[in-house]
Amino acid sequence: MNASRVVLGVSGGIAAYKACELLRRFSESGHEVTVVPTAAALHFVGEATWAALSGRPAATETWERVHEVPHVRIGQQADLVVVAPATADLLAKAAHGMADDLLTNTLLTARCPVVFAPAMHTEMWEHPATQENVATLRRRGAIVIEPAVGRLTGVDTGKGRLPDPGEIFALCRRVLQRGALERDLAGRHVVVSAGGTREPLDPVRFLGNRSSGKQGYALAATAAARGARVTLVAANTELPAPAGVDVVRAGTARQLREAVLRAAEDADAVVMAAAVADFRPAEYASGKIKKVDGIEPAPIALVRNPDILAEVAADRAHDGQLVVGFAAETDDVLANGRAKLARKGCDLLVVNEVGDGKAFGQDTNSAVLLGADGTEVHIADGPKDILADAIWDQVVARLPRHSAETEH
């Protein structure tokens, strides 16, 4: 990633101290960072700290260096503005175009991508006023990432925690790579499933697969960077939640089905990247199945799991909803993929070859993207976020235009 001019806005929440780590990551990556803290933020982290970590004076006052017109120039010259933490007050001011300090002036003059990383108590985040402000900002093209769930101030726990600075930085890096004009999923809601389901045999054993969830997580992260509101239905992964993504946990195929169907009700696109077990044990042993000397174990009877991809494709929540499936094949890859595409009824099928160190658990992947319209796109082996972007390119090309786009 080339060095860029980044504005780090910091508003007045206790999570302001975590912005120091975010600043360090930007600075160590060679970016030129100007920190613009609000007056309230300076109660939590002082101006000297921001200057020492960035190697530049912090911009704190509209009336300092007036001849340089800081309230205009800082935003005009930025390649990225990220506000972390973004309090409920800051989100409200940004949504309503208020400009009563240097940071809000900067937000009004910025013509680059803008990322907000909210942090506040759960009740404040869930309040209808905050949700409307977030919706307004997203509709205008800003990326408002979902807060994390965890310990808040005092004894409170819930949704509203600032996401991990490393994950915020990873999202910002993707935003910078794509540029200001490529937030082509802004205003969209996408659902991505990831990981591998596990079907319990007894309290200690399960029937599962080798999926790590890396490709699904890459899809979720790249969609967030392209401006989407993302629901990630994650099955049995140990990966950190991508910043900007609402994560729903699932264990079994039936649990994953319920979560996907619920999330898909208002989704523009559903991408089924999870490796879903085709079968589950017909019976669950409430106690651990014991090994008895001289006696062979009884065969394990299996029953079919629901076909989530076919169900979502056949019973779409609304007209225009795009459905993408995955096919992991070991032989006759394209022939099996084309047959599965026709059988499942999805719009796009991502077909990849697995086994012998390919795909599962790896950081790279290759695939052929088969479209129901007859298209066939080959993606060479490379990082999984590259494949993820290629998939979203195909999805964006097939999505119906927003009504707001049509009006303009």
Side-chain angles (χ1 to χ4, degrees):
M1 180 172 57
N2 295 328
S4 302
R5 289 169 295 188
V6 176
V7 173
L8 174 59
V10 186
S11 57
I14 184 61
Y17 77 94
K18 295 183 180 180
C20 296
E21 171 64 16
L22 182 58
L23 171 57
R24 184 186 67 79
R25 289 176 180 266
F26 276 118
S27 297
E28 290 183 355
S29 298
H31 298 292
E32 180 184 297
V33 186
T34 299
V35 182
V36 184
T38 65
L42 293 174
H43 285 286
F44 294 98
V45 180
E47 184 176 352
T49 299
W50 299 123
L53 291 175
S54 67
R56 299 167 56 85
T60 60
E61 294 290 342
T62 306
W63 301 106
E64 290 181 351
R65 304 190 307 275
V66 176
H67 64 288
E68 298 177 7
V69 202
H71 72 290
V72 173
R73 294 288 182 263
I74 293 174
Q76 285 180 333
Q77 297 172 355
D79 297 304
L80 172 72
V81 176
V82 54
V83 183
T87 60
D89 179 68
L90 188 283
L91 292 173
K93 289 178 177 179
H96 289 85
M98 297 179 66
D100 61 353
D101 63 7
L102 187 56
L103 178 54
T104 49
N105 273 274
T106 298
L107 290 169
L108 279 181
T109 57
R111 293 299 179 265
C112 59
V114 178
V115 176
F116 294 93
M120 64 197 74
H121 270 70
T122 305
E123 294 83 358
M124 299 174 72
W125 171 252
E126 293 177 346
H127 194 282
T130 302
Q131 290 301 302
E132 287 181 14
N133 291 332
V134 168
T136 296
L137 292 168
R138 285 173 170 163
R139 189 172 62 250
R140 293 175 184 159
I143 298 174
V144 184
I145 68 181
E146 291 289 318
V149 176
R151 183 71 178 269
L152 306 174
T153 54
V155 297
D156 294 338
T157 298
K159 187 170 186 177
R161 183 182 176 91
L162 187 74
D164 180 79
E167 288 299 316
I168 298 174
F169 176 72
L171 182 142
C172 291
R173 181 181 59 194
R174 291 187 177 96
V175 172
L176 285 167
Q177 287 171 338
R178 292 200 63 82
L181 301 179
E182 298 187 70
R183 288 169 289 163
D184 48 10
L185 286 172
R188 305 286 192 178
H189 176 210
V190 301
V191 176
V192 178
S193 69
T197 61
R198 296 178 179 178
E199 308 300 328
L201 297 167
D202 64 22
V204 297
R205 301 180 180 92
F206 61 85
L207 183 66
N209 56 65
R210 298 180 183 275
S211 176
S212 65
K214 289 182 178 180
Q215 186 62 71
Y217 272 58
L219 280 158
T222 52
R226 293 170 76 148
R229 176 169 66 91
V230 184
T231 301
L232 174 62
V233 182
N236 304 297
T237 73
E238 297 181 357
L239 301 171
V245 171
D246 192 11
V247 180
V248 179
R249 302 290 177 181
T252 67
R254 287 178 290 181
Q255 291 171 347
L256 188 132
R257 172 186 174 273
E258 292 178 5
V260 167
L261 292 180
R262 189 181 310 114
E265 291 178 357
D266 66 342
D268 295 284
V270 180
V271 182
M272 290 295 300
V276 182
D278 293 321
F279 308 99
R280 67 180 184 274
E283 295 184 2
Y284 172 75
S286 58
K288 180 181 177 183
I289 301 172
K290 299 291 187 179
K291 178 175 64 177
V292 180
D293 291 339
I295 300 177
E296 291 298 316
I300 297 173
L302 301 176
V303 295
R304 286 184 180 274
N305 269 326
D307 190 331
I308 308 170
L309 175 59
E311 183 177 357
V312 172
D315 189 18
R316 304 188 188 218
H318 56 82
D319 292 339
Q321 185 177 71
L322 265 290
V323 179
V324 181
F326 271 67
E329 303 290 346
T330 57
D331 52 62
D332 295 329
V333 174
L334 283 181
N336 287 333
R338 292 189 184 99
K340 182 172 182 177
L341 175 64
R343 188 170 65 251
K344 300 294 186 179
C346 51
D347 301 288
L348 189 70
L349 190 72
V350 183
V351 185
N352 54 1
E353 186 175 357
V354 298
D356 296 327
K358 297 177 181 178
F360 284 145
Q362 305 301 310
D363 293 324
T364 62
N365 204 355
S366 61
V368 180
L369 312 184
L370 299 178
D373 55 5
T375 57
E376 186 175 304
V377 179
H378 292 253
I379 307 299
D381 189 57
K384 289 188 172 180
D385 57 348
I386 299 299
L387 174 57
D389 267 323
I391 293 168
W392 290 122
D393 288 343
Q394 294 297 311
V395 169
V396 168
R398 291 166 168 79
L399 282 172
R401 297 181 65 189
H402 280 308
S403 57
E405 292 174 346
T406 304
E407 291 170 4
H408 290 83

